[in-house]
Amino acid sequence: MLHVTPDSDAAALFVADQLDEILAKVAKPVLMLPTGSTPKALYALWRTCFQAGSFSMANCRTFNLDEYWPCRADNPISFRAFMDEELFSRVDLPAKAIGFLDGTVDESHFESHCAAYEQAIIEAGGLDVCLLGVGVNGHIAFNEPGAPADSRTRLVQLAESTRKRPGFPQGVDAPTAGISVGIQTIMDARKIILMAFGADKASAVKRALEGPISIDTPASLLREHQDVTWVMDEAAASALQSR
Ligand code: GLP
């Protein structure tokens, strides 16, 4: 399903409504969460609703898509710091319900760390929803063009466009690598919601929705998932032919 909204605030309302339905139905919802500028409006809405008493994450279990490597959680560029600031410290999600990839894991422990992350998702009951942004090159999480479709959590090298994404803090050198869930980890979610905002996402969105289903544009593989909702503003949808 494709849903185009005037702006990211309207999109956040739409996504929050969809998630409310799941949160109401599922006793212990398991969410995969993204970072970046894309989910900011949703997290802001959740904070507001939490303060107003109409939203709670007390029963949720969360995982995050990715983390820079090497990168300490207390480094301001880390995805963990972003999530703490935007969401975790501002709502009632219990600390023990937060799953996060460790940007300090030693190279000799990558394999066990990544396998444990996949196992934790399985033990939580699998992902009810995976929320995603999309990179200008069509990447999802840190799965860059060419990533294996059957990939799972692993160390990945980052594309230059990913390192230089507009939301990245000025004057800081972005890491060249990250740890990321794989394409298959994402495809195993029962529901996927991808959000895209702004004209710089229009080309990636067009390739994802109207180009060939190919690992050259990782987001295009989502079209093979049975329940994916594409939520975007007019600018991100502007290159689409069929709407
Ligand atoms: C990073 C993240 C992705 C995110 C993308 C887009 O590479 N790993 O999960 O979707 O950036 O970022 P933004 O939302 O800031 O455009």
Side-chain angles (χ1 to χ4, degrees), residues 131 236 238:
L131 293 172
S238 59

Side-chain angles (χ1 to χ4, degrees), residues 103-218:
T104 67
V105 70
D106 183 80
E107 270 170 278
S108 60
H109 291 102
F110 274 140
E111 219 168 292
S112 57
H113 181 63
C114 295
Y117 202 65
E118 292 279 342
Q119 188 58 29
I121 295 171
I122 291 168
E123 281 168 15
L127 300 172
D128 289 299
V129 186
C130 178
L131 293 172
L132 291 173
V134 62
V136 291
N137 63 357
H139 76 239
I140 45 176
F142 272 149
N143 295 286
E144 301 285 12
D150 62 355
S151 52
R152 293 202 172 270
T153 305
R154 68 214 185 284
L155 180 73
V156 288
Q157 298 303 313
L158 306 183
E160 274 310 291
S161 63
T162 303
R163 299 183 66 223
K164 295 188 174 130
R165 76 187 162 84
F168 194 81
Q170 296 284 311
V172 185
D173 208 18
T176 56
I179 310 177
S180 176
V181 302
I183 307 247
Q184 191 61 57
T185 322
I186 294 168
M187 293 295 275
D188 283 351
R190 288 183 272 280
K191 181 178 184 64
I192 296 173
I193 302 176
L194 181 143
M195 297 178 280
F197 307 123
D200 62 338
K201 299 290 171 72
S203 161
V205 162
K206 184 176 173 55
R207 280 181 282 123
L209 279 167
E210 295 179 350
I213 295 180
S214 154
I215 199 54
D216 294 344
T217 304

